[in-house]
Each structure stands twice: as structure tokens, then as C-alpha cells.
Amino acid sequence: MLAAVAAMLAVVLGQRMLEAPPRELTQDDIDRAVLRTLETKPLPSVPARAYEAIRASVVGVRGLVQVRKGGSFIERTTGTGVVIIDKGTILTNLHVVAGSQKIVVTFADGLESEA
């Protein structure tokens, strides 16, 4: 048994010694790889990159009005906004909130809050 293991080890080591060592990468190799990637994989568009940068700041904004005094609220308007200051300042269009009695904001993580 020990002789068989030794023979296997000798075969494996012998093969390793006969193999050529891996060659070092050159700058030309790297340039070719980068060029091939640029030619075969589309880069994200400028708008797509901008969206990824601000995605977590985009919020949904709903303007609500009360149907009758003491009654429930219904959605009157809907739109989007962007958190511009982390202390709670959100930029949205005036028509989304004008005339609303209550404003609800939905954050990127799904959390809802009254504004």
C-alpha cells in the first residue's frame, strides 16, 4: 500500500516538474483583456450610473385628503421626491403636495412616514 502511494506521489511530482511554469502577465496581456471586456460587455449608461448613485435617496410621495371630517384619508396625488438633507428635507414637485391635508413618504427600504 505504501509503495502504491509513493508511486502515485512520484507520478504527480514528475508531471509537475515537466510542466512549464506559468508565464508572467505583461502589460500587453492586461491591455488585451481590458479591451476585450470593453468590446464585449456594455458599460452602464450615464443615466443608469446616476440613478445607482442616488437610488437610496429617491422616495415615493403621496398626498392625502380627508373624505369627511373625522373620516378616513384617501390618496389625492402621487409622485416622487429626493432626500436632499439627511435630517428629513425632501425635494418634490409642488403639485404632488399642494392641497393635501396629509403627506406620506415611502423610503427606498419600504419604510413609510408622515411628512
Side-chain angles (χ1 to χ4, degrees):
M1 179 71 172
L2 187 57
V5 171
M8 282 287 249
L9 185 58
V11 168
V12 169
L13 289 175
Q15 284 179 337
R16 295 275 180 186
M17 291 173 59
L18 294 175
E19 291 177 359
R23 69 178 185 88
E24 287 189 32
L25 288 176
T26 66
Q27 186 62 50
D28 285 340
D29 295 329
I30 296 168
D31 292 344
R32 277 193 299 276
V34 169
L35 184 60
R36 183 177 56 240
T37 300
L38 290 173
E39 290 173 347
T40 60
K41 302 217 187 269
L43 295 175
S45 66
V46 172
R49 288 190 311 237
Y51 172 72
E52 280 301 315
I54 66 158
R55 181 169 55 123
S57 302
V58 176
V59 297
V61 181
R62 294 181 295 139
L64 309 174
V65 292
Q66 202 168 28
V67 179
R68 59 184 169 275
K69 194 169 186 140
S72 60
F73 285 85
I74 62 167
E75 188 174 294
R76 182 179 167 276
T77 58
T78 186
T80 59
V82 178
V83 178
I84 58 171
I85 299 175
D86 62 358
K87 294 193 187 304
T89 302
I90 296 172
L91 178 65
T92 189
N93 288 303
L94 180 60
H95 72 271
V96 175
V97 295
S100 299
Q101 296 168 316
K102 185 176 180 181
I103 299 168
V104 177
V105 176
T106 306
F107 294 90
D109 65 0
L111 177 71
E112 282 192 0
S113 178
E114 234 181 275

